[in-house]
Amino acid sequence: MLLTLFLFFLSAAVIYFACEFFVNGVEWVGHRFHLGATATGTVLAAFGTALPESAVTFMAVVFGDTPEQKDIGVGAAMGGPLVLATLAYAVVGIALWRARRGGQPEKANCINADQRRLARDQAWFMGIFIFKVGLGLLAFAWKPWLGILFLATYGMYVKRELSHDEERADSEDLEPLKLRPRDTDPSMFWAAMQTVLALVVIAGASHVFVNQIELLGVAMGASPHVAALLLAPVATELPEIMNALIWVRQGKERLALANISGAMMIQATIPSALGIFMTPWLLDAPLLAAGLFTMLSIGLLWLRFRRSVMSVPALSAVGGFYALFAAYLGWHFYA
């Protein structure tokens, strides 16, 4: 148990420091591609940090030998969006509150982001997610072919993000590249190398972190289903949460929110497509509950973003849906 706890905290620390290098590198890559902050967050950063959870789903559904192992992949595909829609946004809200505490009271609850654009992302996600949950209630022979629709939808989303992006940030607004701190205008080679190396470290540390989460779950008596739905998604979504904390600390909540929004679109499409391709994709009561709480959180976010009235307290409050889901799982499995 001591070794498990040591590896748990060590891997979490490694992920955080690797994310420092990742967010710094991906901002420079976005600058070199002439991308604005929103597209950098929703496309580049989100795709990179979504690799750990997509890998969990891929390994489970493709190489799983038993239905229980494949269930872990389906649980990750449903649990990932739940964590992002609740805990990840709540972390940004709490971090913003802490960062602005003691500052200007009139700006303490404001969100500096394109809220209408974020609302459109939530609307896209809701449409895809409802379809995805609906498929989990039906059984028919050609269901696996519908996985192609999810991949095509993500491609359309990326095209839209890139075609409607704002102007890129000036290089003076970016922190120096950590691998080339004295270079005022680093090349794409160095920016891409730092980003890729950071991703490799994040992926390796995330793998260790997931293993320790599962061992701690077993030690606490949690079933594999609970680990797949409640514990593993928190572990695999840790890079997005760490990125959000770093960007909020730097005063870049636009990037933090865009990263979570883009990661949600990936979670709604790519892992779902893998699950639909390789499993029967039939959702039981805990999976449907995960879908319900995800939709409740997204519905609240969409309403607030659409009206451009999202505040720091409201953003923080969506974390309560995750607590309600955890309480439901406890009642379902242990009552």
Side-chain angles (χ1 to χ4, degrees):
M1 179 59 73
L2 288 177
L3 178 60
T4 298
L5 289 172
F6 172 75
L7 291 175
F8 173 83
F9 289 111
L10 177 62
S11 57
V14 170
I15 290 171
Y16 181 84
F17 288 112
C19 283
E20 289 265 12
F21 281 79
F22 175 78
V23 298
N24 174 248
V26 82
E27 286 186 53
W28 277 103
V29 171
H31 176 75
R32 285 299 177 191
F33 277 126
H34 302 279
L35 299 180
T38 303
T40 299
T42 58
V43 179
L44 291 181
F47 185 80
T49 53
L51 289 178
E53 57 265 29
S54 297
V56 169
T57 303
F58 177 80
M59 295 299 291
V61 301
V62 175
F63 297 105
D65 297 324
T66 65
E68 290 76 14
Q69 290 176 333
K70 291 184 180 293
D71 282 346
I72 292 177
V74 178
M78 291 297 294
L82 173 67
V83 171
L84 288 171
T86 56
L87 287 185
Y89 276 116
V91 165
V92 172
I94 294 170
L96 284 172
W97 175 77
R98 288 180 59 85
R100 295 173 180 177
R101 187 175 54 181
Q104 295 175 299
E106 66 275 9
K107 295 184 178 180
N109 291 330
C110 298
I111 301 291
N112 179 24
D114 186 346
Q115 296 197 34
R116 291 299 183 94
R117 185 168 180 174
L118 289 170
R120 288 195 296 269
D121 284 353
Q122 310 308 313
W124 272 65
F125 178 86
M126 279 195 292
I128 297 167
F129 198 77
I130 290 172
F131 182 62
K132 159 181 165 176
V133 173
L135 285 179
L137 301 175
L138 305 172
F140 49 93
W142 46 275
K143 183 194 290 190
W145 291 100
L146 294 179
I148 298 172
L149 292 178
F150 288 85
L151 299 179
T153 301
Y154 182 68
M156 292 171 57
Y157 170 77
V158 171
K159 182 179 179 181
R160 190 205 69 170
E161 288 296 294
L162 296 180
S163 62
H164 293 87
D165 196 29
E166 68 269 19
E167 293 183 3
R168 69 170 179 171
D170 294 331
S171 59
E172 290 80 7
D173 298 330
L174 303 178
E175 293 187 356
L177 191 70
K178 292 185 181 296
L179 288 185
R180 306 276 291 180
R182 297 182 180 179
D183 192 344
T184 58
D185 193 25
S187 66
M188 173 64 85
F189 171 80
W190 287 107
M193 174 178 285
Q194 176 175 307
T195 304
V196 171
L197 289 176
L199 272 178
V200 170
V201 175
I202 290 170
S206 295
H207 179 71
V208 175
F209 191 83
V210 168
N211 288 339
Q212 308 320 306
I213 282 283
E214 292 175 349
L215 290 173
L216 290 172
V218 170
M220 292 185 293
S223 69
H225 215 142
V226 172
L229 271 174
L230 198 64
L231 301 179
V234 174
T236 54
E237 302 301 338
L238 191 62
E240 282 90 349
I241 295 174
M242 293 295 191
N243 285 352
L245 287 173
I246 293 167
W247 271 320
V248 168
R249 190 193 69 198
Q250 296 175 352
K252 301 175 181 177
E253 62 257 39
R254 180 186 294 263
L255 273 168
L257 291 169
N259 184 30
I260 296 172
S261 180
M264 287 178 60
M265 283 300 301
I266 294 176
Q267 283 297 297
T269 52
I270 295 178
S272 302
L274 293 172
I276 292 169
F277 282 143
M278 306 299 296
T279 74
W281 194 257
L282 294 173
L283 306 181
D284 58 13
L287 292 170
L288 289 174
L292 172 63
F293 284 109
T294 301
M295 288 306 303
L296 289 174
S297 181
I298 290 300
L300 174 61
L301 291 167
W302 175 72
L303 285 173
R304 303 283 296 194
F305 281 135
R306 186 172 66 91
R307 299 172 183 172
S308 297
V309 294
M310 178 58 76
S311 63
V312 170
L315 197 62
S316 305
V318 296
F321 289 111
Y322 188 79
L324 290 174
F325 175 69
Y328 163 79
L329 280 188
W331 169 81
H332 181 82
F333 286 104
Y334 303 113

